Amino acid sequence: MPAADPSAAGGDAALLARFAPFAGAKRLALAVSGGADSLALLILACRWRAGLASGPDLFVLNVDHGLRPESAAESRFVGEVAGRYDLAFRSMRWDGPAPASGVEAAARGARYALLLDAAREAGATHLATAHHRDDQAETFLMRLARGSGVYGLAAMAGDVERDGIRLVRPLLDVPHDRLVAVVREAGLVPVEDPHNADPGFDRVRFRQRMPMLAAEGLDAATLAATARRLGRAAAALDAYVGRLFANAATADATGAVRLDAQAWRGEPEEVRLRALARILRAVGGAAYVPRLDSLEGLEAAMRLAAEGLAGEGAGTFSRTLAGVVIDLRKGDFRFQREPGRDGLPELAVSNGFDGIWDGRFAVRLEVSGGGAFTIGALGPEGRRQFAVCVPKAMPRAIEALPALRRNGEIVAVPGLGVAAEAELGVAFSATSRVAARLQEPVRQAD
């Protein structure tokens, strides 16, 4: 392995310019698996940073999925490369059970969760991944085969917020072959993941069909350009959804949302669908929006209810989707978190905690006197005990508020203004993120 020279000649100026938007970032985390694409990301980011008088600190993050015997050695290889480029390095191992099916989705979800948590802990403002033009084209085809709408076909976004971190893809318009050349010119031999040649995975099958499609004019550049144009259409729709929210939606401190039924009904169907997707994601604390077919079913039922044609009466309309209960009361659709069969998360803490609970609340626990505590949902019994504090709030939303317990007893519920007794030596706060997440024009899982 050659000694690294971040300022080495051969760094394409056009490639390096793709990192320019991050010059003002505090710390930039690089997600590196050891494959050619992510090694190119590391090399180009180092060359770009070396040409700046000042800029973000760079560091490398790696996830060992443990799905193959070679994965540990591949993580060590990434650490060695990071060391040659004088970059800090951290590898995380996914310890969850290997899924019997849906390996791609499970691995992707675990990878993002670990990477985002590690980036946040390290004080990063941005996390960069090495997705490129061929990835974008393959994602477009996979979504097309699933019957996706505008948002799905817009494929991957180049810059999106994920739980306080900017997830960025500076190489999204760069061909895979160009990145391979960068790595080859640097004298590095990338990791070869056999999963990338396994036709048992959807992405591999579409990749193998790309030459045939290219012969008909549907090459990666064309498909990626189509996704980019659909991205512009999605952005326009999101602007209309934002206007609807500004005039007709409210999110309260409990994380519940009200939406004026007639204002929503008066919008075009695509705007109605997108509004529902964003509300369900925010109120349900999910990373992604629900699938389009389930949204279409909900939209149709809500539209009939709003028109008074559902045959149920406005006061009895109720549906559940994506961990959210939707009903219609006094002209408003109400959206409240629903615990489901498995309940809401419960965290055991003793030395304090600062993070996200259920995707909906930023919670912070400071403990000065020691002791074992749990952070979990207030629940029906807790609501009956404390609901008098906010008589106008929605019952399910109150039950889904984060509460602090000690030995099974509720000691604090910030959402209801209930603070812990001073002698416990704890300070517990919880701030709803629902209103802020409503404003995020997030696409589907990518």
Side-chain angles (χ1 to χ4, degrees):
M1 184 181 298
D5 179 7
S7 61
D12 188 318
L15 288 177
L16 302 186
R18 297 176 183 277
F19 294 85
F22 319 129
K26 179 182 177 183
R27 300 198 78 193
L28 174 61
L30 307 173
V32 181
S33 66
D37 306 324
S38 61
L39 288 179
L41 174 73
L42 185 156
I43 294 165
L44 293 170
C46 284
R47 290 176 180 170
W48 163 74
R49 180 62 183 86
L52 302 179
S54 62
D57 293 331
L58 304 181
F59 65 101
V60 175
L61 296 176
N62 168 268
V63 175
D64 175 5
H65 290 109
L67 296 176
R68 295 182 291 107
E70 307 88 353
S71 62
E74 291 167 358
S75 292
R76 289 194 296 271
F77 165 72
V78 174
E80 292 170 7
V81 174
R84 294 296 182 100
Y85 282 83
D86 294 324
L87 297 181
F89 169 74
R90 179 183 175 188
S91 179
M92 293 81 64
R93 183 176 174 83
W94 178 33
D95 292 322
S101 62
V103 174
E104 288 176 291
R108 180 181 62 238
R111 180 171 65 251
Y112 275 129
L114 289 168
L115 289 171
L116 289 167
D117 285 346
R120 191 178 301 106
E121 290 172 10
T125 52
H126 294 65
L127 169 66
T129 67
H131 292 99
H132 48 76
R133 190 174 72 186
D134 298 64
D135 291 327
Q136 186 76 308
E138 292 161 8
T139 299
F140 175 88
L141 289 173
M142 292 166 65
R143 301 267 180 87
L144 184 65
R146 293 202 299 259
S148 294
V150 171
Y151 289 94
L153 296 178
M156 290 182 280
D159 184 344
V160 66
E161 194 273 342
R162 291 274 182 87
D163 293 336
I165 302 290
R166 302 304 306 183
L167 177 61
V168 296
R169 301 179 172 106
L171 307 177
L172 202 52
D173 293 328
V174 180
H176 169 67
D177 289 346
R178 181 68 188 93
L179 300 179
V180 171
V182 168
V183 176
R184 184 173 57 247
E185 291 162 5
L188 296 176
V189 179
V191 167
E192 295 291 343
D193 184 348
H195 286 160
N196 290 333
D198 184 351
F201 294 102
D202 291 344
R203 184 172 293 276
V204 174
R205 291 196 301 275
F206 279 101
R207 184 177 302 143
Q208 292 172 343
R209 290 174 172 82
M210 287 296 292
M212 179 182 66
L213 294 173
E216 300 297 331
L218 293 173
D219 60 8
T222 300
L223 294 171
T226 300
R228 185 168 58 251
R229 290 162 184 150
L230 285 165
R232 294 201 299 261
L237 289 168
D238 273 319
Y240 282 101
V241 173
R243 295 177 190 176
L244 172 65
F245 286 167
N247 296 321
T250 57
D252 64 27
T254 68
V257 169
R258 286 181 171 86
L259 176 66
D260 183 281
Q262 296 309 314
W264 172 79
R265 186 172 71 90
E267 296 289 343
E269 182 179 6
E270 196 68 31
V271 174
R272 294 197 300 269
L273 286 166
R274 187 56 179 176
L276 294 182
R278 284 169 55 173
I279 293 174
L280 292 173
R281 173 182 176 270
V283 176
Y288 306 112
V289 300
R291 291 180 64 90
L292 180 58
D293 54 357
S294 60
L295 283 172
E296 289 172 335
L298 174 63
E299 184 275 336
M302 289 176 60
R303 177 166 36 84
L304 288 174
E307 293 170 351
L309 300 176
E312 311 181 75
T316 58
F317 173 83
S318 180
R319 294 288 189 277
T320 301
L321 180 62
V324 178
V325 175
I326 308 100
D327 62 13
L328 180 59
R329 295 289 187 277
K330 298 181 179 180
D332 287 339
F333 285 112
R334 307 190 308 175
F335 301 80
Q336 303 174 73
R337 183 70 166 103
E338 200 268 335
R341 289 189 297 269
D342 297 329
L344 299 182
E346 187 168 289
L347 307 175
V349 295
S350 56
N351 297 318
F353 179 81
D354 188 358
I356 306 299
W357 180 78
D358 194 39
R360 301 178 297 127
F361 285 85
V363 300
R364 182 180 179 85
L365 173 64
E366 298 179 23
V367 181
S368 59
F373 297 87
T374 59
I375 300 172
L378 178 62
E381 292 185 7
R383 174 179 65 83
R384 287 190 286 271
Q385 180 179 351
F386 295 107
V388 66
C389 301
V390 281
K392 294 184 179 180
M394 293 179 244
R396 289 181 181 269
I398 294 176
E399 293 173 8
L401 282 170
L404 181 68
R405 288 179 171 84
R406 185 178 189 183
N407 298 325
E409 297 293 327
I410 298 172
V411 298
V413 190
L416 300 181
V418 179
E421 298 291 338
E423 57 266 24
L424 288 177
V426 301
F428 182 55
S429 63
T431 304
S432 173
R433 304 170 65 241
V434 171
R437 298 187 83 222
L438 276 180
Q439 306 307 315
E440 298 173 0
V442 179
R443 299 179 189 167
Q444 293 173 318
D446 53 23

